[in-house]
Amino acid sequence: MIIDAHVRIGDSRDAGLKPADLLATMDALGIDQAIVAPSERCIAYDNREGNSETAQAAAESGGRLLPYAVANPWRGRAALDELDRARDAGAVALAVDSVLQGFDLLDGLLDPLLDFAATAGWFVYVRTGTPATALPLPLASLARRRPELPVLMGKSGATDFWIDAIPALLHAPNLYGDTSYAPWDTVLSGFLAEPGIGAGRLVFSTDSPYTVPLAEVDRIRDWPIDADQKAAVFGGNVANLLGRRQ
């Protein structure tokens, strides 16, 4: 089973993706399920609209799309209320983008949302790769503070901060690497070579619509690792994270 761990639907600044087009691409590439976040605007500002759109897309997909919940932590109590509403509508995990939402990963602002995610049994996707507030090593420090909470390092620091991805994963055992953008002959092979990381800490995603999904799928299919490792990366690991939900 192949699960795409991160896709954004809706209209964003550089690209857009409609649920119907996403499902058609999934059919063409043999992707069984995808976890979908809303557009940049809805991540940053109009959280309710974004959560409603992802919940509707999921409801109309026959179980193939699963919604992330988003809430800007600056909204305080209202952010938690929105996460509660999104969970009731079927959200399966929390998506965070500290650049779009305007905070530092280590300033404590996100803590109430992380508490909610832990109680809900969610994992947390955090996009990385943009200085100065969305980098692998600060995220690892945050994850290490919350050992009960699985954290997915979105994009694994791509591209300028790939060099920090392995130290980040070694620092926080509850941190998972994202395969999107990462070539297997350098970045992914480095993950696999570390005894403290390995295939059990890697999660496949396309990060559509910002990538070429075929290239992301082929990168894992062509990766010279055994079938069990590929199965874990392609879907087994994130399926285990999804299975934590209460």
Side-chain angles (χ1 to χ4, degrees), residues 193-209:
E194 287 288 345
I197 304 175
R201 299 267 304 282
L202 300 178
V203 171
F204 164 75
S205 84
T206 64
D207 199 43
S208 296

Side-chain angles (χ1 to χ4, degrees), residues 3-10 12 16-19 21-23 25-26 31 33-39 43 54 64-68 70 95 125 152 178 180 204-211 213:
I3 304 173
D4 187 342
H6 185 260
V7 173
R8 283 183 180 171
I9 59 174
S12 293
L17 183 61
K18 296 179 180 179
D21 294 333
L22 170 59
L23 289 166
T25 298
M26 291 167 62
I31 297 173
Q33 291 183 309
I35 313 176
V36 294
S39 66
I43 292 171
T54 54
R64 299 190 66 195
L65 303 183
L66 306 172
Y68 277 108
V70 297
Y125 173 95
L152 176 53
D178 173 3
S180 62
F204 164 75
S205 84
T206 64
D207 199 43
S208 296
Y210 305 107
T211 63

Side-chain angles (χ1 to χ4, degrees), residues 64-233:
R64 299 190 66 195
L65 303 183
L66 306 172
Y68 277 108
V70 297
N72 193 315
W74 284 105
R75 299 178 63 202
R77 179 68 244 180
L80 298 177
D81 291 343
E82 181 56 28
L83 292 185
D84 195 42
R85 194 189 72 86
R87 177 178 57 181
D88 290 345
V92 299
L94 172 66
V96 173
D97 192 316
S98 55
V99 173
L100 291 176
Q101 295 172 325
F103 66 94
D104 187 289
L105 288 172
L106 296 176
D107 65 9
L109 189 69
L110 190 61
D111 286 351
L113 276 66
L114 299 180
D115 291 340
F116 185 100
T119 299
W122 289 353
F123 73 89
V124 181
Y125 173 95
V126 183
R127 188 186 67 81
T128 62
T130 304
T133 61
L135 299 177
L137 290 174
L139 179 60
S141 295
L142 178 66
R144 194 175 175 91
R145 291 179 184 175
R146 308 298 301 252
E148 80 286 3
L149 191 61
V151 179
L152 176 53
M153 180 172 52
K155 297 173 58 176
S156 293
T159 56
D160 291 344
F161 296 91
W162 273 331
I163 193 172
D164 293 334
I166 287 177
L169 290 167
L170 292 174
H171 185 65
N174 56 321
L175 189 64
Y176 290 75
D178 173 3
T179 66
S180 62
Y181 305 89
W184 55 257
D185 59 337
T186 53
V187 177
L188 296 180
S189 61
F191 290 161
L192 202 64
E194 287 288 345
I197 304 175
R201 299 267 304 282
L202 300 178
V203 171
F204 164 75
S205 84
T206 64
D207 199 43
S208 296
Y210 305 107
T211 63
V212 178
L214 174 60
E216 298 300 329
V217 172
D218 282 350
R219 180 179 297 117
I220 306 305
R221 284 185 172 145
D222 294 342
W223 194 10
I225 57 177
D226 66 41
D228 288 343
Q229 290 173 316
K230 283 187 184 180
V233 173

